[in-house]
Amino acid sequence: KSGFISIIGRPNVGKSTFLNRVIGQKIAIMSDKPQTTRNKVQGVLTLDDSQLIFIDTPGIHKPKHRLGDFMMKVAQNTLKEVDLVLFMVNAQEGYGRGEEFIIEKLQNVKTPVFLVINKIDLIHPDELLALIESYNKKFDFAEVVPISALEGNNIEKLLEQIKERM
Ligand code: GDP
Ligand code: MG
């Protein structure tokens, strides 16, 4: 089994921390050449029975900047072409305009989307439940997975759920 996974989310939600933890020493650099294609491979996780290829999707991360229609289309097409989208949010910050922007972009995408709620080490379980509830009202996520990329909580479970979709 192998598949392409796009990790999206606002800056500082923990995307790089997650990738570093998941891929760690197993990171495979695909090419030294500057990547001119629209999809930048961030890392490849090779497991016994599967290969998970994590890619960057430029254009969907930066709600602060005005993007041309073309850039936005490119980003949305990328999300349509991957096998799974991981939408990462910061548990401590809650649902905001940045998240709203991304959810709007996900509306026309048929690819399954996991909501990955990161930094759960910083919040109380009750807050987590409230957050999950508010996100579930906004979008039909294939899975909602709370994790701590920093402390490593629930990462294995998330990888299992990812593999099930490949
Ligand atoms: P990115 O911009 O989405 O790639 O975010 P980074 O991976 O660079 O993380 C931004 C900051 O959040 C860094 O200081 C990380 O150490 C911190 N961070 C990431 N994941 C967690 C987590 O699960 N818990 C806590 N407490 N901090 C985290
Ligand atoms: Mg990063």
Side-chain angles (χ1 to χ4, degrees):
K1 284 195 210 172
S2 75
F4 289 86
I5 300 147
S6 180
I7 309 183
I8 61 173
R10 285 195 297 122
N12 289 318
V13 295
K15 299 179 297 294
S16 298
T17 307
F18 169 75
L19 271 178
N20 287 340
R21 173 167 287 277
V22 163
I23 293 168
Q25 301 294 334
K26 295 177 196 161
I27 192 154
I29 307 298
M30 301 300 281
S31 164
D32 290 324
K33 285 180 235 154
Q35 285 166 309
T36 49
T37 54
R38 65 190 194 206
N39 296 325
K40 190 169 132 211
V41 171
Q42 291 178 302
V44 179
L45 177 62
T46 304
L47 305 165
D48 292 342
D49 54 352
S50 51
Q51 190 172 49
L52 308 179
I53 300 143
F54 293 92
I55 63 162
D56 194 13
T57 304
I60 207 104
H61 304 250
K62 287 188 176 131
K64 275 180 196 156
H65 301 155
R66 236 188 119 75
L67 291 160
D69 287 348
F70 175 74
M71 271 302 291
M72 213 57 249
K73 274 229 161 63
V74 167
Q76 275 176 299
N77 284 338
T78 299
L79 297 183
K80 286 176 184 170
E81 287 162 9
V82 295
D83 299 291
L84 182 67
V85 175
L86 299 184
F87 173 31
M88 188 173 288
V89 299
N90 180 342
Q92 220 183 13
E93 286 177 354
Y95 182 83
R97 288 186 58 190
E99 283 70 32
E100 188 178 20
F101 175 91
I102 293 173
I103 282 178
E104 272 170 32
K105 303 306 161 209
L106 291 172
Q107 295 300 340
N108 303 320
V109 172
K110 300 248 181 347
T111 311
V113 181
F114 284 11
L115 178 67
V116 179
I117 303 179
N118 188 33
K119 310 198 188 185
I120 55 165
D121 55 291
L122 298 176
I123 61 158
H124 190 274
D126 288 345
E127 292 176 76
L128 178 60
L129 289 178
L131 192 61
I132 291 172
E133 211 171 293
S134 66
Y135 270 103
N136 276 333
K137 283 183 198 149
K138 308 288 181 191
F139 192 82
D140 189 17
F141 294 103
E143 301 279 356
V144 177
V145 193
I147 66 164
S148 170
L150 196 66
E151 298 191 342
N153 300 329
N154 229 14
I155 302 291
E156 285 304 317
K157 172 122 187 284
L158 174 54
L159 288 178
E160 283 307 314
Q161 287 169 310
I162 291 171
K163 280 199 278 175
E164 281 170 22
R165 301 278 167 171
M166 298 295 122

